[in-house]
Amino acid sequence: MLVSIDHSSSVSLAEQIAASVRRGLVDGSVRKGDRLPPARSLARTLDINMHTVLRGYQILKNEHLIDMRPGRGAVVTADAPASTLVTEACRHFVALAQRAGMSRTDILDLLHTQLHAATQGPPGLD
Amino acid sequence: MLVSIDHSSSVSLAEQIAASVRRGLVDGSVRKGDRLPPARSLARTLDINMHTVLRGYQILKNEHLIDMRPGRGAVVTADAPASTLVTEACRHFVALAQRAGMSRTDILDLLHTQLHAATQGPPGLD
DNA sequence: CTACTTGTTCGCATTGAGCTAGAACAACAG
DNA sequence: CTGTTGTTCTAGCTCAATGCGAACAAGTAG
């Protein structure tokens, strides 16, 4: 898995690390059961602080993508790469909607509308 | 048009103001040719600094949604912006989720998870 | 058991972004 | 002209992100 960071980006380093792992899940370079590099060593590699790496891992933990335990490290618990793609699409949708000033209710309404529209459509199983 | 701000939000005040105007454009309460409230008066109303309001207006100016001139104020120069982008993102999300075999409940759960994740920041929200 | 690894938690310093504050200035309307 | 409004400038404040160091807890390996 390739973890690269950009100090000049507006995205926080922790979020960039989390994004790298998500990308790895999508392209298959990271799979369920894999162990992420120890925070200390990855921090040394990227020349950033250990806490920053752990903060990135924590984001993934909150998303239930990995499990963390002292002594054992960070282990990927994600189900399927497809669900990660879906999650990414969901994240993108939420970010865009909130940027447009939509409330939580607005977002749910829009989703319901699309769900109804989609169920009337053809089965997209190809 | 209703402009409301939330000091506890992780979204900047300027961005919230811009979002309020965008929302107004979407729901029709703000139309092309309308004049936005003067920065000083809106700042007094919201009990925030004038510069913060101007920064929010500046965001909209950069998006070519409004035009600003001294003495005349901020005037809306565009019709409803591409809220279609949000809809498009939602449709993409739904399509991907359903192809992955997710049920309606799964989709709603995922959305709720992401809504919570997107709201994370200062402790004690929810 | 011990030794080592690794995540966890704590406190504190630094940096930059965001917000506030005040003032002076320029463009526009009446 | 006077008054309004955006623009620009300087300065200070707060807070999140990051960095740094240290101790601690849980797990692994011997």
Side-chain angles (χ1 to χ4, degrees):
Chain A
M1 176 188 55
L2 177 66
V3 178
S4 55
I5 56 174
D6 176 16
H7 281 276
S8 65
S9 170
S10 63
V11 181
S12 70
L13 296 178
E15 192 60 51
Q16 288 184 50
I17 290 174
S20 289
V21 176
R22 288 197 210 99
R23 202 179 316 127
L25 277 165
V26 171
D27 64 31
S29 59
V30 176
R31 297 181 188 180
K32 183 175 183 176
D34 284 2
R35 185 178 157 194
L36 299 182
R40 284 173 231 262
S41 71
L42 181 57
R44 219 178 308 117
T45 302
L46 299 176
D47 196 31
I48 61 176
N49 194 271
M50 174 194 66
H51 300 293
T52 305
V53 175
L54 285 177
R55 268 175 223 126
Y57 284 0
Q58 207 70 35
I59 294 174
L60 298 170
K61 184 183 178 184
N62 290 339
E63 294 172 356
H64 303 97
L65 292 179
I66 66 174
D67 183 59
M68 298 169 75
R69 282 189 188 181
R72 204 208 301 194
V75 180
V76 177
T77 58
D79 324 48
S83 69
T84 308
L85 270 178
V86 176
T87 303
E88 204 60 42
C90 185
R91 289 164 55 87
H92 180 246
F93 164 49
V94 169
L96 223 59
Q98 290 186 331
R99 176 176 148 66
M102 294 176 65
S103 70
R104 185 167 295 201
T105 309
D106 292 336
I107 295 176
L108 286 173
D109 284 347
L110 177 55
L111 180 65
H112 278 115
T113 302
Q114 291 302 319
L115 277 174
H116 281 122
T119 43
Q120 293 171 355
L125 301 175
D126 47 300
Chain B
M1 178 190 54
L2 177 67
V3 178
S4 56
I5 56 174
D6 177 15
H7 281 275
S8 65
S9 169
S10 62
V11 181
S12 71
L13 295 178
E15 191 61 51
Q16 288 184 50
I17 291 174
S20 289
V21 178
R22 291 197 208 98
R23 197 184 317 134
L25 277 165
V26 171
D27 65 30
S29 60
V30 176
R31 297 182 187 179
K32 185 174 181 176
D34 284 2
R35 185 179 159 193
L36 300 183
R40 285 173 230 262
S41 72
L42 181 56
R44 219 178 308 117
T45 302
L46 298 177
D47 198 31
I48 61 177
N49 194 272
M50 173 194 67
H51 297 102
T52 305
V53 176
L54 263 325
R55 247 174 254 128
Y57 284 0
Q58 206 69 37
I59 293 173
L60 298 170
K61 183 183 178 183
N62 290 338
E63 294 171 357
H64 302 98
L65 293 179
I66 66 174
D67 183 60
M68 298 169 75
R69 283 188 186 180
R72 203 204 303 191
V75 180
V76 177
T77 59
D79 296 311
S83 65
T84 54
L85 276 181
V86 180
T87 306
E88 198 56 41
C90 185
R91 288 176 55 177
H92 179 245
F93 163 49
V94 169
L96 225 57
Q98 291 186 333
R99 184 159 41 164
M102 294 176 66
S103 70
R104 183 168 299 199
T105 309
D106 292 334
I107 295 176
L108 285 173
D109 283 346
L110 176 56
L111 181 65
H112 276 113
T113 302
Q114 290 303 318
L115 278 174
H116 276 248
T119 317
Q120 83 180 146
L125 297 177
D126 238 327

